[in-house]
Amino acid sequence: MTTVNVNEVALGVESFGAAGAPLVLLAGGTTMLSWPDALCERLAAGGRHVVRYDLRDSGESTTADPEAPAYTLRDLAADAAALAGALGDGPAHLAGIGVGGMVAQVAALDHPGAFSALTLAGTRAVAPGPPDDDLPDHDHATMSRLFGGPMPDWADREAVAEFAAAGAEILGDDPVAARAVAARIWDRTPGTAPPVQLANQLGMVFSRLDCTPRWRERLPRIAVPALVVHGRRDPFFPVGNGEAIARAIPGARLLVLEEAATAIPDAAAGEVAGAMLALG
């Protein structure tokens, strides 16, 4: 783990593989740990320099005020481009998962020269909030169960891990894996203040970001090889969102993980890594 300073902020990064190899830059969802270790290791074994990183207000990156972020989605996209430039000798393969996939889409559009390929996992092509009429929204019954109960005591590591495990079971993800990741995130979170924990565990800062202008209509301008990965059982961003992105980006490949929900399971790491490596 280290930090890299770009755009007047420090971004927490973790590397796999040899520096100087083709760079795969992984933009986290809640934190960089949204990208599983098994996938990072498979990509590195395929000859890539893999760098996963925390967005602002999460993990080892600069944390200011998650309740009133003084930056926009386009600033986060600019961070990705600046980080790629600081780390590599050429354009990077950029990948984003969840809300990190929104960052990746805007980065590829705003900074096309910085990236050689694009992977978008479990995301959608519109900002947080109500989707377009032709896109499937969150499964409301699942969301009611997920957010209907009380929040945990953020100062209690075990309570936070149990909350994450229960949420994963509702979403259809692996509760054991979710518990372990939540505990690791808790250990990396700068304090137990609820807004900071929400930013790290649930990514709630995105609901407060300025995500204008729209970018969905610009997706056909993406000219690099693209892969869209989506879980068939995802109730948060249902698979129709990934299908819409794949239709909009010229030549994009759609990889649907039949047994996955919102997270990339370790059992699918080899398949996802192989598809990403095939992009170049």
Side-chain angles (χ1 to χ4, degrees):
M1 288 293 306
T2 187
T3 57
V4 177
N5 293 312
V6 299
N7 298 336
E8 300 183 347
V9 295
L11 297 179
V13 305
E14 183 177 22
S15 297
F16 300 75
L23 177 63
V24 178
L25 186 63
L26 304 177
T30 49
T31 73
M32 68 167 69
L33 297 183
S34 304
W35 290 103
D37 297 352
L39 176 60
C40 296
E41 291 162 358
R42 291 290 189 104
L43 291 168
R48 301 299 189 268
H49 177 208
V50 181
V51 175
R52 62 182 178 185
Y53 77 100
D54 297 314
L55 302 177
R56 302 188 196 192
D57 279 319
S58 71
E60 301 291 332
S61 294
T62 295
T63 293
D65 184 0
E67 291 190 299
Y71 53 88
T72 69
L73 178 63
R74 298 189 93 167
D75 291 323
L76 296 178
D79 289 348
L83 183 57
L87 292 171
D89 296 325
H93 178 157
L94 176 64
I97 188 168
V99 291
M102 299 176 187
V103 174
Q105 291 170 70
V106 175
L109 289 163
D110 283 3
H111 309 275
F115 306 110
S116 59
L118 180 66
T119 294
L120 303 169
T123 191
R124 69 182 188 184
V126 293
D132 293 348
D133 290 342
D134 65 323
L135 296 178
D137 199 357
H138 310 305
D139 181 81
H140 294 297
T142 303
M143 296 305 104
S144 295
R145 292 178 61 206
L146 187 64
F147 296 111
M151 291 291 179
D153 175 2
W154 296 113
D156 185 336
R157 183 178 186 269
E158 179 57 27
V160 171
E162 176 58 30
F163 176 78
E169 193 157 17
I170 291 169
L171 289 168
D173 293 323
D174 180 354
V176 175
R179 177 191 294 276
V181 169
R184 291 172 67 187
I185 291 173
W186 193 95
D187 291 339
R188 302 174 68 244
T189 299
T192 56
V196 177
Q197 284 284 350
L198 283 169
N200 279 263
Q201 296 284 350
L202 300 180
M204 295 299 287
V205 66
F206 268 82
S207 65
R208 302 179 178 91
L209 280 187
D210 175 1
C211 293
T212 56
R214 285 173 57 92
W215 70 89
R216 184 182 182 189
E217 291 74 17
R218 298 169 60 204
L219 290 178
R221 302 180 196 173
I222 293 176
V224 297
L227 170 70
V228 179
V229 180
H230 218 103
R232 176 73 71 189
R233 297 163 52 227
D234 188 341
F236 194 82
F237 292 141
V239 67
N241 290 280
E243 292 169 343
I245 293 172
R247 287 193 301 268
I249 299 175
R253 177 191 172 189
L254 175 64
L255 172 60
V256 176
L257 305 177
E258 296 294 338
E259 300 303 319
T262 69
I264 298 175
D266 283 354
E271 183 179 11
V272 175
M276 291 179 68
L277 292 169
L279 289 185

